[in-house]
Amino acid sequence: MPVLQGNDPAALQRAAQALAAGELVALPTETVYGLGARADDDAAVAKIYAAKGRPVGHPLIVHVADEAGAAAFAAAWPASARRLAQAFWPGPVTVIVPRRPGVATASAGGQDSIGLRCPSHPVAQALLRAAAALGVPGVSAPSANRFGRVSPTRAAHVAGEFEPDLLVLDGGDCEVGIESTIVDCTRAHPVLLRPGRLTRAELEAALGEPLQERDAAAPRASGTLTSHYAPRAQVRLMDAGHLRQALAVLPPTGADGRPPVALYSRTVRPASAAMPFRPMPEDAAATAHELFAALRELDASGAALIWIETPPAVPAWEGVRDRLQRAAAT
């Protein structure tokens, strides 16, 4: 698998040319690494679905270099989308807007709406602009991992997920670490479809109105299935009290000699030094930044179970709680 430095102009040009030719490229964003294809080419986008094992009706997010680039895909630009883009683009928020007919049908999963985002990562920005110069209006890029599994936040995480000829741009560790917030802007009042790093208060301040809750009328959106972001090991969320009780009766090793449990917690520590363990940061943003890397590390320990202390039920932790609840819903 060719892993190229994202700050190398020659590597960026090679990646842009690959996108223009309808090939796949793994690229860094500030949220997670994405598996990208030119969004205006349904045959190229079909390669994403095939590589990930992703259901073709599950829509992708299209990445554009700036707000002006959204015009290639949006049939309308509602006031709520404009306010969010002006407040947070480039940045980790995706807006769902009416889709321009005949454009990005595969990326939209056949829906008449489309998810658009302008990433802030400098490598993603440079690639989008280099690709645009070659006639690529935007790049569809879900997380660069097998469908439903733990998202990658380092170039090394992408290695081994796909065929060895996939071109990967290395942009270092992702700053945010969890996927973007998604807001449905197709209706009279905006609806939060997926929480992320941005809090409801920040979003509502930019919108000038409260966010509505997701309902049956909401369009399908990336990363909103009940079970998602799951490692191979089974994830179980527990509050600190139940976690201590469960650890107190846990045998030091399983019948096969492997650790029965790996632990990720804020306030609870393992009774045995042999137990795979990652301390969860006290800060929500720091936890989001390391979350998927921590899950991958604990999964690699060979434990059949990963026990995780439930994060605080406060707004700052909503994005992390969402990812952990989906990881545990297997």
Side-chain angles (χ1 to χ4, degrees), residues 179-199:
E179 297 81 359
S180 63
T181 303
I182 301 179
V183 179
D184 176 16
C185 298
T186 63
R187 292 189 273 180
H189 300 287
V191 178
L192 181 64
L193 301 187
R194 181 177 72 183
R197 186 188 70 177
L198 297 171
T199 66

Side-chain angles (χ1 to χ4, degrees), residues 11 47 50 71 74 81 92 105 118 120 126 133 145 172 181 185 199 206 217 249 266-267 291 295:
K47 296 177 182 178
T105 304
C118 174
S120 64
N145 55 276
T181 303
C185 298
T199 66
V249 298
R266 291 171 56 248
T267 64
L291 177 62
L295 288 180

Side-chain angles (χ1 to χ4, degrees), residues 242-288:
H242 286 96
L243 193 53
R244 291 189 183 94
Q245 292 175 9
L247 289 171
V249 298
L250 188 72
T253 60
D256 56 4
R258 297 188 301 170
V261 164
L263 179 64
Y264 188 46
S265 65
R266 291 171 56 248
T267 64
V268 179
R269 295 296 181 264
S272 168
M275 177 178 291
F277 170 66
R278 279 286 296 263
M280 182 185 294
E282 289 290 330
D283 177 69
T287 302

Side-chain angles (χ1 to χ4, degrees), residues 29-30 68 71 94 135 146 161 168 172 222 238 246 258 301 303 330:
T29 77
E30 74 278 18
T94 295
R146 299 292 180 177
E161 292 271 358
V168 181
S222 185
M238 289 182 275
R258 297 188 301 170
S301 72
T330 56

Side-chain angles (χ1 to χ4, degrees), residues 39-40 42 70-76 97-106 108 110-114:
D40 61 336
D42 285 354
F73 301 95
V97 298
R99 178 171 63 89
R100 186 178 293 277
V103 176
T105 304
Q111 299 182 115
D112 59 5
S113 60
I114 189 79

Side-chain angles (χ1 to χ4, degrees), residues 24-96:
L24 301 182
V25 172
L27 66 147
T29 77
E30 74 278 18
T31 57
V32 300
Y33 275 74
L35 182 64
R38 61 182 302 163
D40 61 336
D41 183 342
D42 285 354
V45 171
K47 296 177 182 178
I48 296 178
Y49 287 106
K52 284 178 63 71
R54 184 185 181 102
V56 293
H58 196 58
L60 312 178
I61 293 170
V62 176
H63 295 67
V64 294
D66 50 32
E67 188 174 350
F73 301 95
W77 197 238
S80 55
R82 174 177 53 80
R83 290 173 185 138
L84 290 173
Q86 290 177 349
F88 302 115
W89 280 13
V93 64
T94 295
V95 295
I96 307 292

Side-chain angles (χ1 to χ4, degrees), residues 74 120 128 131-132 140 152 170 201 261-262 280 288-290 310 323:
S120 64
L128 288 168
S140 297
D170 188 348
V261 164
M280 182 185 294
H289 171 73
E290 73 161 35
T310 305
R323 302 313 189 272

